[in-house]
Amino acid sequence: NENITSINFGCPKVGNTEFSVWMNSLQSDQGGQMISSSADNSDSNKDSGSFEIFRFVNKVDLVPRLPELLFKHVGHTLQMSIGGEIKAYYDHLGNENLGYSGVPFGWDAAPWALFPFAVAAHVSTHYIEFLADYQPSLNSNSNNTSTIIRGFERVEDDAEPSSVA
């Protein structure tokens, strides 16, 4: 049993509700902690393995929001926003029991209002340029300069994101 991490950029939705629930159940982060790139040494993770999914979405990129009907997101959404910020949304829709918010209201609709920009946002060089220029804001207690994000967005408007494992 292994811990597998999938990091994808601009990918469309790939399954129905049952598929989404099943894939999200394979993640070892059900407590809301992000998995670092190194293997987790806990006994429970060694026995069961896990499959973590992190989906990067560039601004109003239309493709990750397609197809609209019957398809659902799997894994965590990492929204690359105007202004150079990346926000992480736990299992895309959040988990209120754990205090994590989902993507903002209107997330699926925004690209349709900005259609030409939404199509252009899908160009792979835009993802590369964003990440090349990205300077993560780290808290003063952190000495990890390779952290992409600080944590998942919280349900409370003024709460700080959870810390990254």
Side-chain angles (χ1 to χ4, degrees), residues 27-126:
Q27 299 183 118
S28 63
D29 71 339
Q30 295 306 304
Q33 294 299 310
M34 291 192 193
I35 303 301
S36 65
S37 60
S38 61
D40 187 337
N41 292 326
S42 71
D43 291 335
S44 62
N45 285 339
K46 282 183 182 177
D47 293 339
S48 61
S50 68
F51 187 61
E52 289 289 323
I53 302 168
F54 294 93
R55 304 174 49 256
F56 280 87
V57 178
N58 184 34
K59 302 175 184 104
V60 293
D61 186 350
L62 181 62
V63 173
R65 293 157 168 94
L66 297 174
E68 287 191 329
L69 300 175
L70 305 177
F71 286 79
K72 303 294 179 192
H73 290 281
V74 296
H76 309 300
T77 299
L78 303 178
Q79 179 66 54
M80 302 161 62
S81 301
I82 294 171
E85 185 177 11
I86 297 177
K87 292 187 176 185
Y89 297 100
Y90 184 83
D91 286 351
H92 186 73
L93 297 177
N95 183 322
E96 287 194 20
N97 292 332
L98 296 174
Y100 298 108
S101 66
V103 295
F105 178 78
W107 187 86
D108 283 321
W112 297 106
L114 303 166
F115 187 75
F117 300 105
V119 172
H122 186 67
V123 175
S124 61
T125 55
H126 292 170

